[in-house]
Amino acid sequence: MNNALILLIEDEPEIVEILETYFAREGFRTISANDGAIGLAHHQRLKPDLIVLDVKLPGLDGFEILAAIRRRGDTPVIMATALAEDLDKLQALRIGADDYVVKPYNPMEIVARAKAVLRRTSGRDARQQIRIGALTVDPVAYMAFVDLGTGQRSLELTRTEFRLLQCMASSPNRVFERSELVDACLPEGEALERTVDSHISNLRRKLASAGADGLLVGVRGVGYRLGDSGG
Ligand code: CA
């Protein structure tokens, strides 16, 4: 895990310096960018293993940068926000951050979270593709698509949506309780069952618009299941 490259997108030089010191102490390499455009260029060119992303930046803000990173792939991202409101955290997680910290934070905490995120994301198992009806989930390529016989329509999913889909696809037709899905799929520090409902609702909408409606169904008072038996 170490020797991993961490991209710091942060406009406060003192914070960059502190983070560089703490990450270096644990054997990580770092590169920094003081705005989003430079950060995105570094991301494209250097393919960092993890990004620590400040929300308040000149030019593009952290959410816009995160969205751009997610359009490209699944590089793990930890958001650093000075805004403690839950709404901001939820927004960060919904558009695909892996974790967040609230400023001012302890640099040791960021390093610990980075290690945890890297452990979690590098431990993805290399199973075969899972097929359920017209849906295929590929845990290795980290992608999912629907094929109705007229070509593949890939699903543009957030990390959390993908995790939910992968988890449920691993046991077709089994009903998953909300609390199980929270534990298995939601980022650390985000444990609201209502949040699962919101991710699931987005996932269903995306499945439906790719032609796979009816695959993911709610089981009243319990949770959800993914399967092609329900039509
Ligand atoms: Ca800032």
Side-chain angles (χ1 to χ4, degrees), residues 9-12 15 34 54-58 80 82 103:
I9 306 181
E10 168 64 69
D11 61 324
E12 290 171 64
I15 295 183
N34 61 10
D54 188 24
V55 171
K56 276 206 157 174
L57 292 160
K103 285 181 160 186

Side-chain angles (χ1 to χ4, degrees), residues 109-123:
E109 187 193 346
I110 281 246
V111 174
R113 299 250 188 149
K115 286 181 175 177
V117 167
L118 285 169
R119 257 199 309 276
R120 201 165 72 211
T121 53
S122 67

Side-chain angles (χ1 to χ4, degrees), residues 173-194:
N173 296 319
R174 167 155 117 64
V175 177
F176 287 85
E177 292 183 26
R178 283 184 180 76
S179 57
E180 283 182 86
L181 295 172
V182 167
D183 292 343
C185 307
L186 262 60
E188 278 165 48
E190 182 51 59
L192 298 174
E193 297 193 1
R194 219 176 304 151

Side-chain angles (χ1 to χ4, degrees), residues 22-66:
Y22 276 80
F23 273 113
R25 220 177 264 173
E26 298 288 322
F28 292 96
R29 296 170 297 140
T30 53
I31 174 105
S32 66
N34 61 10
D35 73 31
I38 298 171
L40 287 171
H42 283 343
H43 172 249
Q44 184 130 27
R45 195 163 44 86
L46 302 169
K47 314 245 181 298
D49 299 289
L50 181 138
I51 298 171
V52 176
L53 176 58
D54 188 24
V55 171
K56 276 206 157 174
L57 292 160
L60 296 172
D61 73 20
F63 293 114
E64 294 170 305
I65 298 166
L66 177 59

Side-chain angles (χ1 to χ4, degrees), residues 2 9 19 45 47 53 74 83 87 92 99 134 149 187 192 200 205 208 216 221 227-228:
N2 286 13
I9 306 181
L19 289 179
R45 195 163 44 86
K47 314 245 181 298
L53 176 58
D74 64 354
L83 309 163
L87 204 66
D99 205 349
L192 298 174
I200 291 276
R205 185 172 40 75
L216 174 52
D228 58 352

Side-chain angles (χ1 to χ4, degrees), residues 98-220:
D98 293 87
D99 205 349
Y100 61 84
V101 289
V102 177
K103 285 181 160 186
Y105 51 74
N106 180 335
M108 276 160 71
E109 187 193 346
I110 281 246
V111 174
R113 299 250 188 149
K115 286 181 175 177
V117 167
L118 285 169
R119 257 199 309 276
R120 201 165 72 211
T121 53
S122 67
R124 270 177 226 142
D125 56 6
R127 275 176 301 177
Q128 298 286 312
Q129 294 187 339
I130 304 164
R131 284 199 182 77
I132 299 171
L135 172 71
T136 298
V137 180
D138 186 333
V140 180
Y142 217 72
M143 60 173 288
F145 57 87
V146 171
D147 191 344
L148 298 167
T150 52
Q152 297 178 356
R153 300 188 60 181
S154 66
L155 300 170
E156 302 284 321
L157 303 177
T158 64
R159 294 170 65 79
T160 299
E161 288 161 8
F162 186 86
R163 271 187 220 133
L164 286 165
L165 189 65
Q166 183 183 352
C167 178
M168 288 187 286
S170 66
S171 299
N173 296 319
R174 167 155 117 64
V175 177
F176 287 85
E177 292 183 26
R178 283 184 180 76
S179 57
E180 283 182 86
L181 295 172
V182 167
D183 292 343
C185 307
L186 262 60
E188 278 165 48
E190 182 51 59
L192 298 174
E193 297 193 1
R194 219 176 304 151
T195 310
V196 166
D197 292 337
S198 141
H199 289 296
I200 291 276
S201 134
N202 291 335
L203 188 51
R204 286 170 95 164
R205 185 172 40 75
K206 291 177 183 180
L207 283 165
S209 68
D213 48 339
L215 206 57
L216 174 52
V217 296
V219 179
R220 213 189 161 110

